[in-house]
PDB file of all heavy atoms in Angstrom:
ATOM      1  N   MET A  65      40.344 -30.697 -51.543  1.00 70.00           N
ATOM      2  CA  MET A  65      40.255 -31.843 -50.636  1.00 70.00           C
ATOM      3  C   MET A  65      39.061 -32.629 -50.887  1.00 70.00           C
ATOM      4  O   MET A  65      38.037 -32.115 -51.221  1.00 70.00           O
ATOM      5  CB  MET A  65      40.264 -31.394 -49.178  1.00 70.00           C
ATOM      6  CG  MET A  65      41.558 -30.667 -48.749  1.00 70.00           C
ATOM      7  SD  MET A  65      42.905 -31.830 -48.546  1.00 70.00           S
ATOM      8  CE  MET A  65      42.316 -32.720 -47.013  1.00 70.00           C
ATOM      9  N   GLU A  66      39.100 -33.906 -50.646  1.00 76.00           N
ATOM     10  CA  GLU A  66      37.919 -34.779 -50.743  1.00 76.00           C
ATOM     11  C   GLU A  66      37.023 -34.362 -49.587  1.00 76.00           C
ATOM     12  O   GLU A  66      37.525 -34.171 -48.484  1.00 76.00           O
ATOM     13  CB  GLU A  66      38.364 -36.256 -50.504  1.00 76.00           C
ATOM     14  CG  GLU A  66      38.838 -36.962 -51.783  1.00 76.00           C
ATOM     15  CD  GLU A  66      37.852 -37.013 -52.843  1.00 76.00           C
ATOM     16  OE1 GLU A  66      36.715 -37.555 -52.540  1.00 76.00           O
ATOM     17  OE2 GLU A  66      38.062 -36.497 -53.967  1.00 76.00           O
ATOM     18  N   PRO A  67      35.718 -34.265 -49.839  1.00 81.00           N
ATOM     19  CA  PRO A  67      34.826 -33.863 -48.695  1.00 81.00           C
ATOM     20  C   PRO A  67      34.800 -35.002 -47.647  1.00 81.00           C
ATOM     21  O   PRO A  67      34.799 -36.182 -48.001  1.00 81.00           O
ATOM     22  CB  PRO A  67      33.499 -33.626 -49.425  1.00 81.00           C
ATOM     23  CG  PRO A  67      33.617 -34.430 -50.625  1.00 81.00           C
ATOM     24  CD  PRO A  67      35.021 -34.366 -51.104  1.00 81.00           C
ATOM     25  N   THR A  68      34.805 -34.553 -46.419  1.00 89.00           N
ATOM     26  CA  THR A  68      34.705 -35.571 -45.329  1.00 89.00           C
ATOM     27  C   THR A  68      33.191 -36.035 -45.290  1.00 89.00           C
ATOM     28  O   THR A  68      32.352 -35.355 -45.910  1.00 89.00           O
ATOM     29  CB  THR A  68      35.054 -34.923 -43.963  1.00 89.00           C
ATOM     30  OG1 THR A  68      34.086 -33.868 -43.715  1.00 89.00           O
ATOM     31  CG2 THR A  68      36.470 -34.340 -44.054  1.00 89.00           C
ATOM     32  N   LYS A  69      32.961 -37.052 -44.569  1.00 90.00           N
ATOM     33  CA  LYS A  69      31.633 -37.554 -44.504  1.00 90.00           C
ATOM     34  C   LYS A  69      30.669 -36.503 -43.949  1.00 90.00           C
ATOM     35  O   LYS A  69      29.574 -36.266 -44.526  1.00 90.00           O
ATOM     36  CB  LYS A  69      31.539 -38.801 -43.558  1.00 90.00           C
ATOM     37  CG  LYS A  69      32.114 -40.014 -44.259  1.00 90.00           C
ATOM     38  CD  LYS A  69      31.581 -41.308 -43.701  1.00 90.00           C
ATOM     39  CE  LYS A  69      32.478 -41.856 -42.669  1.00 90.00           C
ATOM     40  NZ  LYS A  69      32.019 -43.230 -42.214  1.00 90.00           N
ATOM     41  N   PRO A  70      31.019 -35.789 -42.868  1.00 92.00           N
ATOM     42  CA  PRO A  70      30.100 -34.698 -42.364  1.00 92.00           C
ATOM     43  C   PRO A  70      29.875 -33.704 -43.459  1.00 92.00           C
ATOM     44  O   PRO A  70      28.749 -33.228 -43.585  1.00 92.00           O
ATOM     45  CB  PRO A  70      30.843 -34.185 -41.192  1.00 92.00           C
ATOM     46  CG  PRO A  70      31.638 -35.357 -40.735  1.00 92.00           C
ATOM     47  CD  PRO A  70      32.075 -36.012 -41.922  1.00 92.00           C
ATOM     48  N   GLN A  71      30.911 -33.376 -44.221  1.00 94.00           N
ATOM     49  CA  GLN A  71      30.713 -32.331 -45.260  1.00 94.00           C
ATOM     50  C   GLN A  71      29.752 -32.777 -46.361  1.00 94.00           C
ATOM     51  O   GLN A  71      29.023 -31.971 -46.816  1.00 94.00           O
ATOM     52  CB  GLN A  71      32.083 -31.951 -45.821  1.00 94.00           C
ATOM     53  CG  GLN A  71      32.986 -31.238 -44.866  1.00 94.00           C
ATOM     54  CD  GLN A  71      34.391 -30.990 -45.391  1.00 94.00           C
ATOM     55  OE1 GLN A  71      34.924 -31.760 -46.168  1.00 94.00           O
ATOM     56  NE2 GLN A  71      34.987 -29.943 -44.952  1.00 94.00           N
ATOM     57  N   LYS A  72      29.878 -34.062 -46.688  1.00 95.00           N
ATOM     58  CA  LYS A  72      28.928 -34.595 -47.699  1.00 95.00           C
ATOM     59  C   LYS A  72      27.517 -34.445 -47.221  1.00 95.00           C
ATOM     60  O   LYS A  72      26.577 -34.143 -47.944  1.00 95.00           O
ATOM     61  CB  LYS A  72      29.253 -36.071 -48.015  1.00 95.00           C
ATOM     62  CG  LYS A  72      30.512 -36.292 -48.763  1.00 95.00           C
ATOM     63  CD  LYS A  72      30.705 -37.803 -48.948  1.00 95.00           C
ATOM     64  CE  LYS A  72      32.044 -38.081 -49.651  1.00 95.00           C
ATOM     65  NZ  LYS A  72      32.245 -39.525 -49.718  1.00 95.00           N
ATOM     66  N   ILE A  73      27.346 -34.821 -45.928  1.00 97.00           N
ATOM     67  CA  ILE A  73      26.022 -34.697 -45.362  1.00 97.00           C
ATOM     68  C   ILE A  73      25.492 -33.250 -45.319  1.00 97.00           C
ATOM     69  O   ILE A  73      24.349 -32.999 -45.697  1.00 97.00           O
ATOM     70  CB  ILE A  73      26.114 -35.253 -43.891  1.00 97.00           C
ATOM     71  CG1 ILE A  73      26.319 -36.796 -43.975  1.00 97.00           C
ATOM     72  CG2 ILE A  73      24.813 -34.922 -43.156  1.00 97.00           C
ATOM     73  CD1 ILE A  73      26.578 -37.421 -42.669  1.00 97.00           C
ATOM     74  N   TRP A  74      26.345 -32.330 -44.856  1.00 96.00           N
ATOM     75  CA  TRP A  74      25.884 -30.970 -44.879  1.00 96.00           C
ATOM     76  C   TRP A  74      25.497 -30.524 -46.246  1.00 96.00           C
ATOM     77  O   TRP A  74      24.551 -29.703 -46.339  1.00 96.00           O
ATOM     78  CB  TRP A  74      27.036 -30.057 -44.264  1.00 96.00           C
ATOM     79  CG  TRP A  74      27.362 -30.418 -42.844  1.00 96.00           C
ATOM     80  CD1 TRP A  74      26.548 -31.073 -41.965  1.00 96.00           C
ATOM     81  CD2 TRP A  74      28.667 -30.226 -42.184  1.00 96.00           C
ATOM     82  NE1 TRP A  74      27.241 -31.254 -40.761  1.00 96.00           N
ATOM     83  CE2 TRP A  74      28.505 -30.735 -40.895  1.00 96.00           C
ATOM     84  CE3 TRP A  74      29.817 -29.633 -42.567  1.00 96.00           C
ATOM     85  CZ2 TRP A  74      29.561 -30.702 -39.968  1.00 96.00           C
ATOM     86  CZ3 TRP A  74      30.899 -29.604 -41.624  1.00 96.00           C
ATOM     87  CH2 TRP A  74      30.752 -30.135 -40.365  1.00 96.00           C
ATOM     88  N   GLN A  75      26.207 -30.931 -47.247  1.00 97.00           N
ATOM     89  CA  GLN A  75      25.987 -30.495 -48.618  1.00 97.00           C
ATOM     90  C   GLN A  75      24.517 -31.001 -49.032  1.00 97.00           C
ATOM     91  O   GLN A  75      23.823 -30.237 -49.595  1.00 97.00           O
ATOM     92  CB  GLN A  75      27.011 -31.108 -49.493  1.00 97.00           C
ATOM     93  CG  GLN A  75      27.043 -30.636 -50.912  1.00 97.00           C
ATOM     94  CD  GLN A  75      28.194 -31.270 -51.771  1.00 97.00           C
ATOM     95  OE1 GLN A  75      29.270 -31.506 -51.225  1.00 97.00           O
ATOM     96  NE2 GLN A  75      27.927 -31.372 -52.992  1.00 97.00           N
ATOM     97  N   VAL A  76      24.267 -32.237 -48.672  1.00 98.00           N
ATOM     98  CA  VAL A  76      22.976 -32.750 -49.092  1.00 98.00           C
ATOM     99  C   VAL A  76      21.840 -31.997 -48.337  1.00 98.00           C
ATOM    100  O   VAL A  76      20.857 -31.598 -48.880  1.00 98.00           O
ATOM    101  CB  VAL A  76      22.837 -34.264 -48.732  1.00 98.00           C
ATOM    102  CG1 VAL A  76      21.455 -34.770 -48.880  1.00 98.00           C
ATOM    103  CG2 VAL A  76      23.740 -35.052 -49.646  1.00 98.00           C
ATOM    104  N   VAL A  77      22.008 -31.855 -47.023  1.00 98.00           N
ATOM    105  CA  VAL A  77      20.983 -31.164 -46.248  1.00 98.00           C
ATOM    106  C   VAL A  77      20.804 -29.708 -46.696  1.00 98.00           C
ATOM    107  O   VAL A  77      19.720 -29.195 -46.741  1.00 98.00           O
ATOM    108  CB  VAL A  77      21.469 -31.138 -44.744  1.00 98.00           C
ATOM    109  CG1 VAL A  77      20.446 -30.281 -43.886  1.00 98.00           C
ATOM    110  CG2 VAL A  77      21.501 -32.513 -44.201  1.00 98.00           C
ATOM    111  N   HIS A  78      21.906 -29.113 -47.135  1.00 98.00           N
ATOM    112  CA  HIS A  78      21.777 -27.752 -47.676  1.00 98.00           C
ATOM    113  C   HIS A  78      20.933 -27.650 -48.884  1.00 98.00           C
ATOM    114  O   HIS A  78      20.350 -26.631 -49.134  1.00 98.00           O
ATOM    115  CB  HIS A  78      23.198 -27.214 -47.985  1.00 98.00           C
ATOM    116  CG  HIS A  78      23.307 -25.781 -48.234  1.00 98.00           C
ATOM    117  ND1 HIS A  78      23.274 -24.833 -47.181  1.00 98.00           N
ATOM    118  CD2 HIS A  78      23.404 -25.008 -49.375  1.00 98.00           C
ATOM    119  CE1 HIS A  78      23.362 -23.617 -47.649  1.00 98.00           C
ATOM    120  NE2 HIS A  78      23.461 -23.692 -49.052  1.00 98.00           N
ATOM    121  N   ALA A  79      20.768 -28.754 -49.570  1.00 98.00           N
ATOM    122  CA  ALA A  79      20.025 -28.775 -50.823  1.00 98.00           C
ATOM    123  C   ALA A  79      18.542 -29.015 -50.634  1.00 98.00           C
ATOM    124  O   ALA A  79      17.763 -28.925 -51.494  1.00 98.00           O
ATOM    125  CB  ALA A  79      20.597 -29.845 -51.768  1.00 98.00           C
ATOM    126  N   ILE A  80      18.119 -29.339 -49.338  1.00 98.00           N
ATOM    127  CA  ILE A  80      16.707 -29.564 -49.097  1.00 98.00           C
ATOM    128  C   ILE A  80      15.990 -28.187 -49.245  1.00 98.00           C
ATOM    129  O   ILE A  80      16.359 -27.241 -48.575  1.00 98.00           O
ATOM    130  CB  ILE A  80      16.517 -30.074 -47.712  1.00 98.00           C
ATOM    131  CG1 ILE A  80      17.317 -31.334 -47.428  1.00 98.00           C
ATOM    132  CG2 ILE A  80      15.045 -30.322 -47.455  1.00 98.00           C
ATOM    133  CD1 ILE A  80      17.244 -31.836 -45.990  1.00 98.00           C
ATOM    134  N   PRO A  81      15.022 -28.150 -50.111  1.00 98.00           N
ATOM    135  CA  PRO A  81      14.310 -26.846 -50.289  1.00 98.00           C
ATOM    136  C   PRO A  81      13.408 -26.434 -49.148  1.00 98.00           C
ATOM    137  O   PRO A  81      13.018 -27.271 -48.312  1.00 98.00           O
ATOM    138  CB  PRO A  81      13.491 -27.118 -51.576  1.00 98.00           C
ATOM    139  CG  PRO A  81      13.297 -28.602 -51.605  1.00 98.00           C
ATOM    140  CD  PRO A  81      14.503 -29.162 -51.001  1.00 98.00           C
ATOM    141  N   GLN A  82      13.240 -25.146 -49.069  1.00 98.00           N
ATOM    142  CA  GLN A  82      12.401 -24.542 -48.004  1.00 98.00           C
ATOM    143  C   GLN A  82      10.977 -25.214 -48.116  1.00 98.00           C
ATOM    144  O   GLN A  82      10.462 -25.438 -49.174  1.00 98.00           O
ATOM    145  CB  GLN A  82      12.259 -23.064 -48.396  1.00 98.00           C
ATOM    146  CG  GLN A  82      11.888 -22.183 -47.267  1.00 98.00           C
ATOM    147  CD  GLN A  82      11.904 -20.733 -47.710  1.00 98.00           C
ATOM    148  OE1 GLN A  82      11.596 -19.942 -46.881  1.00 98.00           O
ATOM    149  NE2 GLN A  82      12.237 -20.457 -48.998  1.00 98.00           N
ATOM    150  N   GLY A  83      10.417 -25.515 -46.956  1.00 98.00           N
ATOM    151  CA  GLY A  83       9.100 -26.056 -46.944  1.00 98.00           C
ATOM    152  C   GLY A  83       9.063 -27.545 -47.181  1.00 98.00           C
ATOM    153  O   GLY A  83       7.942 -28.211 -47.255  1.00 98.00           O
ATOM    154  N   LYS A  84      10.265 -28.227 -47.244  1.00 98.00           N
ATOM    155  CA  LYS A  84      10.336 -29.602 -47.460  1.00 98.00           C
ATOM    156  C   LYS A  84      11.210 -30.245 -46.376  1.00 98.00           C
ATOM    157  O   LYS A  84      11.984 -29.584 -45.733  1.00 98.00           O
ATOM    158  CB  LYS A  84      10.920 -30.019 -48.802  1.00 98.00           C
ATOM    159  CG  LYS A  84      10.031 -29.619 -49.975  1.00 98.00           C
ATOM    160  CD  LYS A  84       8.820 -30.472 -49.961  1.00 98.00           C
ATOM    161  CE  LYS A  84       7.833 -30.171 -51.104  1.00 98.00           C
ATOM    162  NZ  LYS A  84       6.641 -31.065 -51.116  1.00 98.00           N
TER     163      LYS A  84
END
Side-chain angles (χ1 to χ4, degrees):
Chain A
M65 293 286 291
E66 277 298 304
T68 63
K69 286 204 267 187
Q71 290 174 332
K72 289 181 183 174
I73 289 169
W74 299 335
Q75 189 177 329
V76 170
V77 175
H78 193 74
I80 304 174
Q82 200 177 182
K84 290 293 179 181

